[in-house]
Amino acid sequence: MDTAEEGRIYKCLFTGSVSSLLTLPLDMLSTENLLADCLQGCFVVTCTLCAFISLVWLREQIVHGGAPIWLEHAAPPFNAAGHHQNEAPAGGNGAENVAADQPANPPAENAVVGENPEAQDDQAEEDEEENEEEDDAGVEDAADANNGAQDDMNWNALEWDRAAEELTWERMLGLDGSEHVFWVVSLNTLFILVFAFCPYHIGHFSLVGLGFEEHVQASHFEGLITTIVGYILLAITLIICHGLATLVKFHRSRRLLGVCYIVVKVSLLVVVEIGVFPLICGWWLDICSLEMFDATLKDRELSFQSAPGTTMFLHWLVGMVYVFYFASFILLLREVLRPGVLWFLRNLNDPDFNPVQEMIHLPIYRHLRRFILSVIVFGSIVLLMLWLPIRIIKSLLPNFLPYNVMLYSDAPVSELSLELLLLQVVLPALLEQGHTRQWLKGLVRAWTMTAGYLLDLHSYLLGDQEENENSANQQVNNNQHARNNNAIPVVGEGLHAAHQAILQQGGPVGFQPYRRPLNFPLRIFLLIVFMCITLLIASLICLTLPVFAGRWLMSFWTGTAKIHELYTAACGLYVCWLTIRAVTVLVAWMPQGRRVIFQKVKEWSLMIMKTLIVAVLLAGVVPLLLGLLFELVIVAPLRVPLDQTPLFYPWQDWALGVLHAKIIAAITLMGPQWWLKTVIEQVYANGIRNIDLHYIVRKLAAPVISVLLLSLCVPYVIASGVVPLLGVTAEMQNLVHRRIYPFLLMVVVLMAILSFQVRQFKRLYEHIKNDKYLVGQRLVNYERKSGKQGSSPPPPQSSQE
């Protein structure tokens, strides 16, 4: 009931009328809209718990990672130790800045040089910002540290350990006693007031005062935008109050206001990074791809007006997928390129990288600058790889676009069946294969080597560490005493390179020296142009080749009917993947000779035949029977009245059976150990290359098909063969024929539940009997009974009273 009370309190606070506040006690006892209020209250309680957990986690981040320098109460004098503290702030920037400070002196000619000037600028700006923002506060705190304010110095706004130890999940949810229900309601109400009511009304009054209320209402997200505006104004107010508390030397208030500002700042940055940025990317992708689907901005506006929430969620989801795959590609580039080439992008694999610590320590303008740069980079890539290729395709192939993205197809093939095939067969086969990533990595490496040798940037892109190691080893073998004298430096190295190598021992691994050729900026510019041309050509191939192949293959199946381009593209992509895979396998077998190739072809042909037999049984017969059984048990009784005849479509039943078979297999693998789980695990362990056809047919296919056939045939025989012999009416025969499948399912479920309960009661009976009467247990040796009469009986295994 407390969830319903939370929902009603939430509606009362945000209604904005005095009457709702006066009638709140009566509304709390009302039974109207109880289910809706309970659901809304559950959502409110969930948000409250998430907010509380986030606060506790943020507190741990501040305590373990260190608070910002301007928040520290007893800061040391800035002229002595402040500079050293600012050089390595807490978080993931310390290693980056150390690596940035190493190549401080510019080398001459062909010497090894470093990079990352942006990190140096960022660090310098961070130092200046921290010193400018809280210089006066730090000086005053250092002066007041010797003036006797010991109580203020010992007070800490982050000491929540005692309160956190008293808070348990049972107490927070009100499950440890009825006297804590009021505690739960009060805590949730307090969270609603602090984190929702106050920011919302602050933003509302501000927007009304500025005259932006109509624009916010037109966005269909008035509550969310108003609350975010309220949080922004609250953050500005907190930082102003923090400055005033610093001036008047209110140390407790100063620290508390600083912590509150950090909480609001981190919350807003999380909303921007996870919510706003993917949403911008999703809308930009949609705008740049309008011509590909023969759509206009007016169509998008109408769809937004009709379903604003769904539209925004879909665009956010598309943007999130785009950001994820972009980050994955950057991680792949880091595996190929020399460490330090991508210095302007954050390394997600860096163990010292902590985005929350960066949100806590870095100033707002740094985050704003990163956000703007990210929007520019991601938007430019979308223009290069989506908008420009679409324009080129429309000019070169006028009849190729637009893509057919209709919701319903006039083809004889069901859309649901194609969608399930795409989700359950095509995409898992592409995503679960590691060859795709290896191929992409090989292409990137080949392109990098080609560009490096063409532009003389091999050392910059890939590094020449292997060449240096080989040269160094040869030098050591030829001249063992060169270490004590002035050794002749290897090509591309010098005294500066030696100092760099010494400095990098035990230092960060995010930097590797390189040789800087002549006209280096011009070569970098040509590299960027070459990269843009390559990305453009790759995008043109990806937008045309799979769709061409998919349309051609689908034409044999569906004729001239139009199919959703998602399916044609997926089909063409799968065929291209299979072709490339076959070519790579043949290329790998070519050096082994003709006899080995014939042997491999024979082995693979036998394996393919076994796989086809297994696929027909497990991916054809079993899903078809399972889908038909599901249609008879669930779908037909619910959708078709008794006076109508149900129609069955084997293709759709098979497609649904594929989905049900995968769900059942997943639940079986996650469940307890029994024969079906053991067999499935053994089949998975053998794989395709070691496939055991006899084992699969005898242990898996035959039992499963037998059970499914019995489930389909026995009710039909009873309804069509036994019931007419009893002399019942035609209406009763029809009723039995249509309802016997769900009735038998209910009987089986009830029998399973009763069997489970009987076993549980037997275990409970044995447990109670042993607790009450069991005295002890004794382990004895097992002895066979001999035929001799004089043998003594074995001692009892257990003694009970």
Side-chain angles (χ1 to χ4, degrees):
M1 286 296 293
D2 61 329
T3 56
E5 295 171 359
E6 292 297 333
R8 288 163 182 171
I9 291 173
Y10 181 83
K11 287 196 292 187
C12 171
L13 291 176
F14 286 91
T15 300
S17 62
V18 181
S19 60
S20 62
L21 187 62
L22 295 177
T23 59
L24 178 61
L26 297 177
D27 294 337
M28 299 277 284
L29 302 176
S30 176
T31 57
E32 284 188 34
N33 300 325
L34 186 62
L35 181 60
D37 291 338
C38 285
L39 293 177
Q40 188 177 14
C42 290
F43 178 74
V44 172
V45 171
T46 303
C47 294
T48 301
L49 290 176
C50 292
F52 182 80
I53 294 170
S54 301
L55 284 176
V56 174
W57 180 69
L58 183 58
R59 178 253 179 192
E60 294 295 327
Q61 292 289 325
I62 297 175
V63 169
H64 295 291
I69 296 177
W70 56 268
L71 186 62
E72 295 296 336
H73 183 76
F78 279 85
N79 56 359
H83 177 69
H84 298 287
Q85 291 182 357
N86 290 337
E87 282 185 354
N93 296 324
E96 179 184 357
N97 295 329
V98 172
D101 292 336
Q102 288 175 0
N105 299 322
E109 297 180 357
N110 205 23
V112 180
V113 297
E115 51 191 350
N116 207 351
E118 182 69 20
Q120 297 178 4
D121 297 339
D122 292 347
Q123 181 63 28
E125 291 174 1
E126 181 182 355
D127 297 342
E128 292 175 2
E129 190 276 337
E130 291 173 348
N131 292 332
E132 290 175 0
E133 183 180 21
E134 296 299 333
D135 187 26
D136 297 336
V139 173
E140 291 172 0
D141 290 343
D144 291 338
N146 299 323
N147 292 333
Q150 296 296 330
D151 294 336
D152 292 341
M153 293 175 61
N154 294 329
W155 184 82
N156 188 359
L158 299 175
E159 289 179 353
W160 303 339
D161 292 334
R162 183 176 302 175
E165 290 175 358
E166 296 178 357
L167 286 177
T168 60
W169 288 106
E170 291 81 5
R171 177 165 297 183
M172 291 175 64
L173 297 175
L175 301 177
D176 59 344
S178 60
E179 68 274 6
H180 292 293
V181 174
F182 178 75
W183 149 259
V184 175
V185 175
S186 303
L187 178 64
N188 293 333
T189 305
L190 180 63
F191 267 82
I192 294 171
L193 284 171
V194 173
F195 293 101
F197 180 80
C198 293
Y200 174 80
H201 284 279
I202 290 173
H204 177 71
F205 293 145
S206 302
L207 292 174
V208 171
L210 296 175
F212 294 136
E213 186 178 9
E214 296 182 357
H215 300 283
V216 174
Q217 290 179 354
S219 66
H220 299 279
F221 295 95
E222 179 185 3
L224 180 62
I225 296 176
T226 304
T227 305
I228 292 176
V229 171
Y231 270 108
I232 294 173
L233 295 175
L234 187 61
I236 296 174
T237 305
L238 286 173
I239 198 63
I240 293 174
C241 294
H242 177 270
L244 294 177
T246 302
L247 291 176
V248 297
K249 302 177 183 179
F250 288 168
H251 301 291
R252 291 187 178 184
S253 302
R254 172 184 175 272
R255 186 169 180 83
L256 182 60
L257 290 170
V259 172
C260 294
Y261 168 72
I262 290 176
V263 171
V264 176
K265 171 188 171 184
V266 172
S267 303
L268 290 175
L269 290 175
V270 168
V271 170
V272 170
E273 292 286 343
I274 299 180
V276 178
F277 182 70
L279 191 62
I280 293 175
C281 293
W283 275 106
W284 185 239
L285 281 167
D286 192 7
I287 292 172
C288 292
S289 61
L290 288 176
E291 294 184 356
M292 187 167 61
F293 304 110
D294 196 18
T296 60
L297 287 175
K298 188 67 176 179
D299 299 333
R300 296 296 182 259
E301 183 180 357
L302 292 176
S303 64
F304 176 75
Q305 295 291 338
S306 61
T310 304
T311 304
M312 297 295 283
F313 173 75
L314 291 177
H315 284 83
W316 175 84
L317 185 63
V318 171
M320 204 65 169
V321 172
Y322 169 57
V323 172
F324 171 76
Y325 279 106
F326 184 86
S328 301
F329 184 72
I330 294 300
L331 292 178
L332 187 141
L333 286 180
R334 290 189 183 276
E335 298 179 5
V336 176
L337 299 178
R338 176 186 62 84
V341 174
L342 302 176
W343 55 269
F344 51 91
L345 296 175
R346 286 176 289 183
N347 188 4
L348 301 180
N349 285 336
D350 187 2
D352 296 328
F353 173 68
N354 192 338
V356 178
Q357 290 294 332
E358 289 190 354
M359 293 179 183
I360 294 173
H361 289 85
L362 296 185
I364 286 292
Y365 82 93
R366 290 276 302 279
H367 292 286
L368 182 62
R369 188 180 66 180
R370 284 184 176 180
F371 178 78
I372 295 174
L373 289 176
S374 300
V375 169
I376 293 173
V377 171
F378 279 75
S380 303
I381 292 175
V382 171
L383 284 175
L384 179 65
M385 299 190 65
L386 191 61
W387 182 81
L388 187 57
I390 291 173
R391 302 295 298 178
I392 295 175
I393 292 173
K394 286 181 71 68
S395 60
L396 297 180
L397 303 172
N399 297 326
F400 183 77
L401 293 177
Y403 287 163
N404 182 33
V405 289
M406 56 187 176
L407 295 179
Y408 298 98
S409 174
D410 56 355
V413 182
S414 173
E415 288 286 321
L416 178 62
S417 304
L418 286 174
E419 183 177 353
L420 289 175
L421 278 179
L422 172 66
L423 295 177
Q424 303 298 324
V425 179
V426 178
L427 290 182
L430 290 176
L431 296 178
E432 293 176 2
Q433 296 290 334
H435 305 288
T436 306
R437 191 176 187 277
Q438 296 297 326
W439 294 343
L440 183 60
K441 186 176 179 180
L443 289 176
V444 171
R445 184 180 296 276
W447 182 92
T448 306
M449 294 179 64
T450 304
Y453 283 113
L454 288 177
L455 300 174
D456 195 17
L457 292 175
H458 183 270
S459 176
Y460 174 76
L461 294 176
L462 298 175
D464 49 0
Q465 186 175 3
E466 296 180 358
E467 299 177 2
N468 293 338
E469 289 178 355
N470 295 333
S471 302
N473 293 333
Q474 183 178 2
Q475 177 186 352
V476 169
N477 293 330
N478 295 333
N479 190 3
Q480 296 292 336
H481 301 284
R483 296 179 181 178
N484 299 327
N485 301 323
N486 294 328
I488 301 174
V490 297
V491 178
E493 291 189 352
L495 185 60
H496 179 77
H499 285 296
Q500 288 288 343
I502 294 174
L503 289 174
Q504 298 225 348
Q505 291 180 359
V509 296
F511 171 78
Q512 182 178 329
Y514 66 95
R515 291 182 292 108
R516 182 165 182 163
L518 298 176
N519 299 322
F520 184 70
L522 178 60
R523 297 175 189 272
I524 293 296
F525 176 75
L526 294 176
L527 176 67
I528 295 175
V529 172
F530 187 35
M531 179 187 66
C532 293
I533 295 174
T534 306
L535 292 177
L536 179 61
I537 296 174
S539 180
L540 286 171
I541 294 174
C542 293
L543 290 175
T544 55
L545 182 59
V547 177
F548 264 128
R551 287 177 179 176
W552 180 69
L553 291 173
M554 284 289 185
S555 64
F556 295 102
W557 187 7
T558 61
T560 58
K562 292 185 177 180
I563 302 295
H564 200 291
E565 296 295 350
L566 181 64
Y567 309 130
T568 59
C571 180
L573 187 63
Y574 195 54
V575 170
C576 294
W577 177 83
L578 287 177
T579 305
I580 297 174
R581 177 62 177 155
V583 170
T584 53
V585 169
L586 290 177
V587 170
W589 288 348
M590 287 296 291
Q592 301 180 9
R594 184 179 301 176
R595 182 177 300 176
V596 176
I597 292 177
F598 285 148
Q599 183 67 25
K600 292 286 187 180
V601 169
K602 181 179 178 181
E603 294 177 359
W604 277 71
S605 300
L606 181 61
M607 184 186 67
I608 290 174
M609 291 179 60
K610 292 182 179 179
T611 306
L612 288 177
I613 296 174
V614 173
V616 169
L617 293 176
L618 298 183
V621 178
V622 172
L624 178 61
L625 297 177
L626 192 60
L628 185 59
L629 182 62
F630 182 81
E631 183 86 14
L632 291 170
V633 173
I634 304 296
V635 178
L638 294 178
R639 297 181 59 180
V640 183
L642 291 175
D643 56 348
Q644 297 181 6
T645 302
L647 299 177
F648 301 101
Y649 299 95
W651 175 259
Q652 295 186 12
D653 294 338
W654 172 81
L656 289 173
V658 172
L659 179 62
H660 297 151
K662 291 198 68 173
I663 294 174
I664 293 174
I667 295 175
T668 303
L669 292 176
M670 292 187 296
Q673 194 72 28
W674 59 306
W675 69 270
L676 184 59
K677 180 180 179 181
T678 304
V679 173
I680 294 177
E681 288 179 346
Q682 183 64 38
V683 172
Y684 271 114
N686 292 336
I688 296 179
R689 296 192 176 185
N690 299 322
I691 188 170
D692 190 350
L693 181 60
H694 181 264
Y695 179 82
I696 293 175
V697 172
R698 184 170 55 89
K699 294 290 186 179
L700 183 60
V704 173
I705 293 175
S706 301
V707 170
L708 291 175
L709 286 176
L710 287 176
S711 302
L712 288 170
C713 296
V714 171
Y716 182 79
V717 170
I718 294 175
S720 300
V722 178
V723 173
L725 298 178
L726 301 178
V728 298
T729 61
E731 290 80 5
M732 181 58 66
Q733 292 183 19
N734 184 36
L735 178 64
V736 173
H737 190 273
R738 296 288 298 279
R739 295 293 185 262
I740 189 170
Y741 286 97
F743 174 75
L744 291 181
L745 175 65
M746 184 178 63
V747 170
V748 171
V749 171
L750 287 177
M751 291 179 61
I753 293 175
L754 289 176
S755 175
F756 176 75
Q757 294 296 333
V758 167
R759 290 197 303 268
Q760 292 298 109
F761 274 113
K762 286 183 178 180
R763 292 178 58 186
L764 180 62
Y765 170 75
E766 293 292 334
H767 182 71
I768 294 174
K769 184 181 71 174
N770 292 336
D771 286 346
K772 190 173 183 63
Y773 300 108
L774 184 62
V775 176
Q777 293 181 348
R778 184 175 59 186
L779 180 65
V780 297
N781 294 329
Y782 174 75
E783 297 179 359
R784 291 181 178 272
K785 292 182 179 181
S786 59
K788 298 180 180 180
Q789 298 293 332
S791 61
S792 60
Q797 295 184 359
S798 63
S799 59
Q800 299 180 359
E801 292 182 356

